Amino acid sequence: MASTLPLTRAFLFADASNHLRRNCLRSFAFSAAFSSDSVHCKKWRHPVSSLPELGGVAIARDDVVRDDPTNNVPDNIFSKLGVQLHRKDNHPLGILKNEIYKYFDTNYSNKFDKFDDLSPIVSVKENFDDVLVPEDHVSRSYNDTYYIDSQTVLRCHTSAHQAELLRSGYTQFLVTGDVYRRDSIDSTHYPVFHQMEGVRVFSLNDWEASSTDGTSYAADDLKKCLEGLARHLFGAVEMRWVDTYFPFTNPSFELEIFFQEKWLEVLGCGVMEQEILKRSGKENNVAWAFGLGLERLAMVLFDIPDIRLFWSADERFTSQFSKGKLGVKFKPFSKFPPCYKDVSFWINESFTENNLCEVVRGIAGDLVEEVRLIDSFTNNKKGMTSHCYRIAYRSMERSLTDEEINDLQWNVREQVHSKLKVVLR
């Protein structure tokens, strides 16, 4: 049974993939843009049927989507708050979460406390400062992170709860939750996804009988734990450890497995920086921590080809999965053709691809499959650079009409021009 606590945080190793490498630090990144309300020509908004409850507290739209110059949370992101796919036992993410719980319960005698209902609304301090994210790190920018106001964000990682849980006396815990990052659009990236973080704290008594120091003891225990978890999920696979960097652990590692004829990055982890423990009143302890992205692993284990499918309510998708059935292979129920539309414009100094993707996603929602740069050139005489992006529209559940696609593309062009202040070509 998952514990509950009025907290706001969780770890960030999760999704230690190519997605994260693009933002300076390997396996460490987030996502963000500009205004709060992307619209169609008829001022269409994603419907919100009821107030979501986050950590037991009802959250109104005005609590998250505000007319504030520092707010960049659109309605389509607000609509995801409170959905909590990871808490649905018949959903691939819930099935995977419960299977990981089973591993820890079996191997650690139910000693790990579990949290999966902590509010994703956290402070900047919790999301960044408490886990030693540098002041000038790109992840803090409005281009990468969803800001409610200048001091409040939608968590970028489940590590946002780590410090408060440590201060509250928890020494072995798992935190699972939805996390939010402004990002690119393709089959493996989505602005809302799910992570799980694990933390284990050791005291001097734990390692003094061994012939190693506390850091080495924690690192060895961490690797033993996670190698066991990989075997539990994937079977008898070949594994390798890769040294890496995270601002909140030292040493830091990534675990890769050889699965389906290729090396797959599973998670990031490491020995927690002593400064984090010191700030939490545990200066005489050592600890390890890991983080993993549930979607990343579930796409492999269930053969799910597109990350948008996790949000589908279509019975042809949801009926394929059952509680406790890990690794049931997804059977595609349809393959509707994509429609491609291009948009070209002269960029300005403030242009970012994340902002473009926010505009497109705000208009087309999950009908947009990919946004990809296909051409870039600079006119030296004018001192201007042009980008051409190809947008792929495709529904996972039905064929789109030409009228629908043309309407979407018209509104994309209009909003790209007005919101991003670029010159269309």
Side-chain angles (χ1 to χ4, degrees):
M1 184 88 166
S3 304
T4 58
L5 194 69
L7 300 171
T8 44
R9 239 172 173 201
F11 216 43
L12 174 153
F13 298 119
D15 199 31
S17 63
N18 291 334
H19 164 191
L20 302 179
R21 294 192 181 95
R22 288 199 301 271
N23 279 344
C24 297
L25 301 180
R26 290 186 78 227
S27 303
F28 176 70
F30 320 105
S31 310
F34 39 87
S35 81
S36 64
D37 209 3
S38 299
V39 296
H40 280 273
C41 57
K42 296 185 179 180
K43 305 261 184 204
W44 175 84
R45 287 180 179 173
H46 291 261
V48 179
S49 58
S50 61
L51 296 182
E53 286 201 3
L54 307 175
V57 178
I59 303 297
R61 177 183 180 276
D62 290 345
D63 294 326
V64 179
V65 182
R66 301 175 182 172
D67 185 15
D68 182 312
T70 63
N71 184 285
N72 63 356
V73 183
D75 276 319
N76 62 307
I77 295 300
F78 172 72
S79 70
K80 299 294 192 291
L81 291 173
V83 177
Q84 297 185 316
L85 298 177
H86 61 285
R87 302 188 75 206
K88 301 179 185 298
D89 289 343
N90 292 325
H91 190 279
L93 301 183
I95 295 168
L96 176 57
K97 180 200 75 172
N98 290 333
E99 196 63 34
I100 297 173
Y101 280 1
K102 182 190 298 183
Y103 169 78
F104 278 92
D105 287 345
T106 300
N107 291 276
Y108 295 92
S109 303
N110 297 299
K111 291 180 180 178
F112 274 76
D113 292 291
K114 306 179 190 70
F115 302 90
D116 69 355
D117 191 26
L118 304 183
S119 174
I121 300 174
V122 302
S123 69
V124 168
K125 177 179 181 295
E126 290 170 316
N127 200 71
F128 299 120
D129 300 338
D130 285 352
V131 285
L132 310 182
V133 177
E135 287 284 346
D136 60 351
H137 195 268
V138 64
S139 64
R140 290 178 180 258
S141 75
Y142 284 79
N143 185 60
D144 283 12
T145 293
Y146 288 110
Y147 279 80
I148 294 174
D149 57 46
S150 63
Q151 297 302 314
T152 312
V153 300
L154 296 180
R155 66 184 170 209
C156 302
H157 50 172
T158 45
S159 305
H161 307 284
Q162 185 186 107
E164 190 171 355
L165 286 167
L166 288 169
R167 286 194 298 268
S168 299
Y170 294 96
T171 57
Q172 298 182 93
F173 55 86
L174 301 172
V175 179
T176 312
D178 43 330
V179 298
Y180 299 78
R181 301 180 192 168
R182 298 177 80 240
D183 206 350
S184 55
I185 298 175
D186 59 37
S187 63
T188 61
H189 295 97
Y190 201 79
V192 188
F193 55 104
H194 299 76
Q195 292 183 343
M196 179 184 289
E197 168 177 348
V199 170
R200 191 180 194 195
V201 180
F202 301 92
S203 65
L204 178 62
N205 292 335
D206 292 317
W207 74 80
E208 64 179 356
S210 70
S211 58
T212 62
D213 59 272
T215 298
S216 298
Y217 181 87
D220 290 344
D221 186 86
L222 170 66
K223 289 182 176 181
K224 178 182 177 182
C225 169
L226 297 180
E227 287 173 0
L229 176 60
R231 284 190 291 270
H232 181 75
L233 296 177
F234 293 94
V237 291
E238 183 181 355
M239 304 179 210
R240 67 184 182 189
W241 289 97
V242 179
D243 292 335
T244 189
Y245 168 78
F246 302 112
F248 30 70
T249 55
N250 184 27
S252 302
F253 315 101
E254 290 171 351
L255 175 61
E256 297 181 349
I257 64 171
F258 195 71
F259 188 71
Q260 296 178 345
E261 304 303 317
K262 63 182 179 180
W263 286 101
L264 171 70
E265 190 176 319
V266 176
L267 51 79
C269 61
V271 178
M272 193 179 297
E273 284 281 4
Q274 281 302 118
E275 181 62 24
I276 296 175
L277 290 167
K278 181 180 179 181
R279 293 180 186 182
S280 302
K282 292 179 168 55
E283 58 270 12
N284 296 320
N285 300 90
V286 296
W288 56 243
F290 75 85
L292 56 83
L294 292 180
E295 277 89 346
R296 178 173 174 77
L297 299 186
M299 290 179 79
V300 175
L301 289 166
F302 293 95
D303 277 356
I304 295 173
D306 193 310
I307 196 169
R308 294 176 298 165
L309 281 164
F310 289 111
W311 296 92
S312 176
D314 193 310
E315 288 188 2
R316 292 172 294 178
F317 176 79
T318 59
S319 64
Q320 295 190 37
F321 309 103
S322 303
K323 180 179 179 180
K325 302 289 187 181
L326 181 71
V328 172
K329 302 307 179 186
F330 169 66
K331 297 181 178 62
F333 47 82
S334 59
K335 188 68 173 178
F336 297 102
C339 178
Y340 300 100
K341 296 287 185 178
D342 295 347
V343 58
S344 301
F345 46 83
W346 299 103
I347 66 172
N348 52 39
E349 290 184 356
S350 64
F351 173 79
T352 70
E353 190 169 302
N354 277 358
N355 284 352
L356 172 64
C357 290
E358 282 295 298
V359 169
V360 177
R361 189 183 281 116
I363 293 170
D366 287 351
L367 297 181
V368 59
E369 180 176 72
E370 184 181 41
V371 174
R372 180 168 56 92
L373 179 66
I374 61 171
D375 185 55
S376 175
F377 76 90
T378 299
N379 185 318
N380 292 322
K381 290 183 179 180
K382 293 183 177 181
M384 300 173 67
T385 297
S386 171
H387 283 182
C388 179
Y389 285 88
R390 178 154 295 165
I391 304 173
Y393 297 101
R394 188 203 316 247
S395 170
M396 296 174 289
E397 299 168 357
R398 62 184 178 85
S399 291
L400 299 176
T401 66
D402 289 339
E403 183 179 1
E404 282 181 287
I405 294 168
N406 290 336
D407 182 56
L408 290 171
Q409 185 68 7
W410 176 265
N411 282 282
V412 164
R413 290 178 58 84
E414 183 181 70
Q415 293 294 316
V416 164
H417 171 66
S418 63
K419 287 184 177 285
L420 304 186
K421 309 302 181 185
V422 298
V423 179
L424 295 174
R425 299 182 62 231

